[in-house]
């Protein structure tokens, strides 16, 4: 497992005078799960969105295998380069589209694959995620767990190298939270993507995390094995979850 697949160097993001990301350096291993933790509103989602190119950083560089991400993106039908996918909070499925249409959307709107190629790829992926019978159903007709899998299928349909998960267990009860974590762990192993995850579910998320990064006041204060944090007391974890002035941008 490479220790420098996703490299983040000097990443900065300001909103006015507020320094949200203040020179982030991070190295993510290939096919690993890295979880970003920290206080609410500290900038974890901003960090993910800068990596995904949904938000422009003020400074810094993001590299994959030593190559600048900005110069090495690819479409899903190209054989070289890399792609990122983003799984939003609360799934962000379109209510007016069926599960099949939600999953097909990136291929139709962004990649522009022929209709037959889209149908083949989406059908295969739905089967792989045990959603073969759900393709014609709308999100409101699906259970919460199935909605999560549809959202993951949409994130995976472009064969991404890196999948970013922004609070994937928001609003779920404990049992369903563990189900989502198991889903991420299982499909990471099956599909081989690299996962970067934002979560407040401490210490539960440690069970699927290879590494944990603690973001605080624009800096990475800790990066390492989750067992090093898991050995600490719950009182210490609570300090990571206290609210701060909100800077998370949608």
């Amino acid at each position: 497992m490479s220790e420098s697949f996703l490299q983040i160097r000097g990443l900065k993001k300001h909103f006015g005078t507020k320094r949200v990301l203040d020179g982030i350096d991070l190295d993510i291993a290939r096919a690993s799960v890295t979880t970003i933790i920290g206080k609410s509103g500290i900038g974890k989602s901003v960090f993910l969105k800068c990596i995904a190119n949904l938000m422009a950083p003020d400074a810094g560089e993001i590299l994959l295998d030593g190559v600048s991400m900005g110069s090495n993106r690819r479409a899903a039908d190209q054989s070289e380069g890399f792609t990122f996918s983003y799984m939003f909070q609360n799934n962000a499925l379109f209510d007016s589209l069926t599960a099949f249409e939600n999953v097909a959307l990136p291929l139709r709107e962004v990649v522009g694959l022929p209709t037959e190629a889209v149908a083949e790829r989406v059908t295969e992926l739905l089967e792989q995620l045990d959603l073969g019978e759900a393709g014609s159903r709308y999100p409101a007709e699906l259970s919460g767990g199935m909605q999560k899998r549809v959202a993951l299928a949409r994130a995976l349909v472009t064969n991404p190298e890196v999948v970013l998960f922004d609070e994937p267990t928001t609003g779920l009860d404990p049992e369903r939270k563990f189900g989502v974590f198991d889903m991420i762990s299982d499909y990471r192993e099956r599909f081989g993507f690299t996962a970067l995850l934002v979560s407040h579910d401490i210490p539960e998320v440690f069970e699927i995390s290879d590494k944990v990064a603690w973001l605080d006041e624009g800096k990475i204060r800790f990066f390492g094995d989750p067992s090093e944090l898991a050995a600490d007391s719950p009182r210490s974890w609570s300090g990571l979850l206290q609210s701060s002035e909100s800077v998370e941008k949608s």
Side-chain angles (χ1 to χ4, degrees):
M1 180 182 292
S2 170
E3 288 301 322
S4 59
F5 174 57
L6 172 60
Q7 301 167 305
I8 299 160
R9 296 290 181 266
L11 197 68
K12 295 184 177 182
K13 184 64 179 179
H14 294 189
F15 294 103
T17 60
K18 179 69 175 180
R19 293 183 297 177
V20 180
L21 306 177
D22 193 19
I24 301 294
D25 294 319
L26 204 60
D27 287 89
I28 307 299
R30 186 189 302 272
S32 66
V33 175
T34 299
T35 299
I36 310 299
I37 62 174
K39 299 175 183 178
S40 296
I42 205 69
K44 301 183 298 298
S45 291
V46 171
F47 182 49
L48 282 195
K49 288 174 182 176
C50 286
I51 295 173
N53 205 34
L54 297 175
M55 186 177 289
D58 297 322
E61 190 173 20
I62 301 168
L63 305 100
L64 285 157
D65 272 352
V67 179
S68 175
M69 185 185 74
S71 63
N72 202 31
R73 287 184 175 273
R74 68 170 169 84
D77 58 342
Q78 294 176 326
S79 60
E80 298 181 353
F82 303 91
T83 55
F84 282 64
S85 283
Y86 196 103
M87 187 168 166
F88 293 89
Q89 293 183 28
N90 300 317
N91 306 323
L93 298 175
F94 291 95
D95 293 336
S96 61
L97 301 180
T98 64
F100 183 98
E101 292 167 337
N102 267 285
V103 176
L105 194 62
L107 299 180
R108 289 173 172 168
E109 299 296 326
V110 179
V111 180
L113 287 180
T115 300
E116 290 185 1
V118 170
E120 180 179 354
R121 184 172 298 186
V122 173
T123 298
E124 179 182 6
L125 187 56
L126 290 176
E127 290 289 345
Q128 288 177 308
L129 271 68
D130 301 316
L131 291 166
E133 302 298 321
S136 62
R137 296 160 64 183
Y138 291 91
E141 300 173 318
L142 302 174
S143 67
M146 294 178 77
Q147 289 179 23
K148 288 288 182 186
R149 279 184 281 147
V150 171
L152 179 59
R154 186 176 58 187
L156 295 178
V157 75
T158 56
N159 297 325
E161 297 287 328
V162 180
V163 182
L164 308 172
F165 297 88
D166 191 359
E167 293 284 6
T169 59
T170 296
L172 298 182
D173 60 41
E175 182 176 354
R176 289 179 178 175
K177 285 180 181 181
F178 280 113
V180 171
F181 290 147
D182 287 343
M183 177 189 76
I184 293 171
S185 179
D186 179 29
Y187 291 122
R188 183 276 300 251
E189 293 182 4
R190 289 171 58 179
F191 290 92
F193 57 81
T194 301
L196 194 58
L197 174 72
V198 162
S199 179
H200 282 102
D201 293 312
I202 298 172
E204 295 86 355
V205 72
F206 294 169
E207 293 295 324
I208 67 163
S209 302
D210 297 300
K211 298 291 183 180
V212 173
W214 172 24
L215 178 63
D216 182 54
E217 297 182 349
K219 303 283 190 180
I220 297 296
R221 303 296 183 185
F222 169 86
F223 180 69
D225 194 299
S227 63
E228 297 177 48
L229 285 176
D232 207 342
S233 69
R235 180 174 299 178
S236 297
W237 305 334
S238 67
L240 304 178
L241 303 178
Q242 293 172 355
S243 297
S244 63
E245 181 182 354
S246 179
V247 295
E248 303 281 0
K249 301 293 181 177
S250 60

